[in-house]
């Protein structure tokens, strides 16, 4: 039994499941529809695939070693999270006028129904991907984490590829599961009052995370 592989599985699972910007984006999109939530989840996994591929190729080391490049990614990531966060907060404010009597009706028509909004899945996929891909902390995390679980004397590339694949696979299980759970609880979660609260919480979380990234750029 590979003890290091077991240990990495636990660490990686905790890293993937930890609530953050990815989680907030998946939940917010899942409130629109199951398809939108799953699309956002797949987008997050796609962003992780980019980070793991960069780590395996060694390009993440370049990003970390060049302050200007790292700062640019951090700036873009902060701006994008702010954009998503402000959008969620605005949506929460707009929902204040929704009567609570509409509690049993979905706040938004299902994406695969006759009233589906065109491009919802594509937009959600893009949001999930960009939220993760523009996270400047990910390259640092992967560069510091993956080498610790490569046994001494073992070829680094095959092992690193295995570890990277495991992280992406976990994301492909966890985030769609979150989206499906939110959709399963849809009738309750889409009640106007609950939806407003979720929009406000996710908006505040995304705005805060975006603000932290921008402050770090200014103070760097």
């Amino acid at each position: 039994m590979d003890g290091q592989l077991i240990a990495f599985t636990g660490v990686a699972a905790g890293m993937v499941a930890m609530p953050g910007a990815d989680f907030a984006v998946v939940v917010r999109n899942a409130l629109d529809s199951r398809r939108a939530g799953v699309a956002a989840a797949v987008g997050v996994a796609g962003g992780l695939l980019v980070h793991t591929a960069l780590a395996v190729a060694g390009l993440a080391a370049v990003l970390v070693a060049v302050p200007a490049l790292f700062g640019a990614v951090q700036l873009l990531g902060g701006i994008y999270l702010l954009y998503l966060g402000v959008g969620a907060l605005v949506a929460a404010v707009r929902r204040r006028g929704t009567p609570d009597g509409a509690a049993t009706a979905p706040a938004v028509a299902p994406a695969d129904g006759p009233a589906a909004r065109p491009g919802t899945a594509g937009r959600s996929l893009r949001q999930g991907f960009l939220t993760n891909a523009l996270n400047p902390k990910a390259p640092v995390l992967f560069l510091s984490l993956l080498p610790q679980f490569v046994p001494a004397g073992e070829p680094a590339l095959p092992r690193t590829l295995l570890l990277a694949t495991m992280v992406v696979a976990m994301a492909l299980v966890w985030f769609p599961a979150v989206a499906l759970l939110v959709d399963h609880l849809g009738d309750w979660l889409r009640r106007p009052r609950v939806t407003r609260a979720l929009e406000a919480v996710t908006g505040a979380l995304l705005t805060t995370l975006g603000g932290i990234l921008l402050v770090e750029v200014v103070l760097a």
Side-chain angles (χ1 to χ4, degrees):
M1 187 69 70
D2 191 330
Q4 282 193 324
L5 200 59
I6 294 175
F8 177 79
T9 301
V11 172
M15 179 184 70
V16 170
M18 184 180 300
D22 297 334
F23 185 87
V25 167
V26 170
V27 169
R28 183 169 181 247
N29 278 278
L31 286 174
D32 284 347
S33 72
R34 180 193 309 170
R35 187 171 68 176
V38 172
V42 173
V44 168
L48 276 172
L49 181 61
V50 170
H51 289 302
T52 54
L54 289 176
V56 170
L59 296 178
V62 176
L63 176 64
V64 175
V66 181
L69 185 58
F70 184 82
V73 174
Q74 195 168 14
L75 179 63
L76 289 174
I79 292 173
Y80 189 69
L81 289 181
L82 278 178
Y83 166 74
L84 294 179
V86 171
L89 292 174
V90 170
V93 171
R94 287 178 176 172
R95 292 183 193 273
R96 292 184 61 182
T98 304
D100 288 340
T104 57
V108 179
D112 49 0
R117 291 176 296 173
T120 296
R123 183 177 63 250
S124 300
L125 180 70
R126 184 170 60 252
Q127 284 186 1
F129 176 79
L130 290 177
T131 297
N132 189 278
L134 292 177
N135 179 5
K137 305 294 184 182
V140 180
L141 180 62
F142 281 111
L143 280 175
S144 60
L145 180 65
L146 297 184
Q148 297 182 36
F149 295 92
V150 177
E154 183 173 318
L157 183 57
R159 180 72 167 198
T160 306
L161 281 172
L162 172 62
L163 299 178
T165 301
M166 289 174 61
V167 173
V168 176
M170 289 177 192
L172 281 173
V173 172
W174 169 249
F175 288 108
V178 170
L180 293 175
L181 177 61
V182 171
D183 181 73
H184 181 70
L185 300 174
D187 286 346
W188 181 75
L189 291 177
R190 293 188 182 105
R191 293 178 178 179
R193 188 174 299 174
V194 177
T195 301
R196 288 197 302 270
L198 286 173
E199 290 277 14
V201 170
T202 56
L205 175 61
L206 292 170
T207 302
T208 300
L209 292 173
I212 291 173
L213 288 178
L214 293 181
V215 169
E216 290 179 352
V217 172
V218 172
L219 297 179

